[in-house]
Amino acid sequence: MVHSVELTLDDAGDAAVRRIWTALRDAGLPSQADHTGASNRPHTTLTVAEDISRAADPDLVAALPRLPMPCRLGAPVVFGQGRYTVALLVVPSVELLDLHAQVHRICLPHMASGALGHTGPGSWTPHVTVARRVGAEQLAAVCEIAAAGREIEGGFAGLRHWDGNARIVQPITG
């Protein structure tokens, strides 16, 4: 498994994404609503590594003064091949890119094998996942429902550390 540091959405943004999850499920399509784990909630992953030491958590408190931060979720974006992941693109602001770079710098010394390449500054695509394991024949329908919400105005409200090995979410609090 992996570890990640993630931004969570405010109540309005969270509810808007969950409406898309529900619409996908109601249409009989893959949806993040199908994942019923307690840790499942709309989020944007800032960094991912095979392991991020819990010692990073106190250091991540330094990023909290940047929150809450406005965010805008835009068009659907598709990742993968064969079985796809569909997400909503997070329109990157200067503030978000600065926060991402700060979290990357904070976490790097706590990652024995470094961050996964696609999450580093200059390679990161900020997004909020709406469906995983989408078949090619379902892709158009999933994207149509995901796009129906138009742009979502919301905010990033929290920061958390996901330990995929222990399956534990640790909120970062000051």
Side-chain angles (χ1 to χ4, degrees):
M1 281 307 238
V2 296
H3 287 231
S4 58
V5 175
E6 304 164 347
L7 283 169
T8 56
L9 297 171
D10 62 12
D11 291 342
D14 187 279
V17 172
R18 287 180 190 273
R19 283 192 291 276
I20 295 169
W21 290 4
T22 299
L24 290 167
R25 184 183 57 209
D26 290 350
L29 295 164
S31 169
Q32 281 300 99
D34 297 332
H35 173 22
T36 58
S39 65
N40 186 40
R41 67 176 290 181
H43 67 274
T44 296
T45 301
L46 292 169
T47 192
V48 179
E50 287 182 31
D51 183 68
I52 302 172
S53 166
R54 293 289 295 272
D57 295 0
D59 295 345
L60 286 165
V61 170
L64 291 178
R66 295 174 176 259
L67 301 176
M69 174 185 292
C71 76
R72 186 166 28 126
L73 307 181
V77 61
V78 178
F79 299 105
Q81 51 188 320
R83 288 291 194 195
Y84 300 95
T85 295
V86 178
L88 298 176
L89 183 67
V90 175
V91 179
S93 64
V94 170
E95 295 80 12
L96 178 60
L97 294 174
D98 285 347
L99 174 62
H100 172 254
Q102 179 186 17
V103 167
H104 179 78
R105 282 190 309 273
I106 289 169
C107 290
L108 205 53
H110 302 285
M111 301 172 170
S113 58
L116 298 186
H118 68 280
T119 65
S123 300
W124 177 61
T125 304
H127 63 278
V128 175
T129 300
V130 296
R132 296 181 193 279
R133 296 178 205 81
V134 177
E137 71 284 357
Q138 300 168 311
L139 203 50
V142 169
C143 287
E144 183 178 337
I145 290 171
R150 306 279 191 272
E151 287 188 349
I152 296 170
E153 297 287 339
F156 292 118
L159 194 61
R160 68 184 192 171
H161 178 169
W162 165 245
D163 176 342
N165 297 322
R167 305 188 74 69
I168 295 172
V169 157
Q170 178 62 48
I172 305 300
T173 59

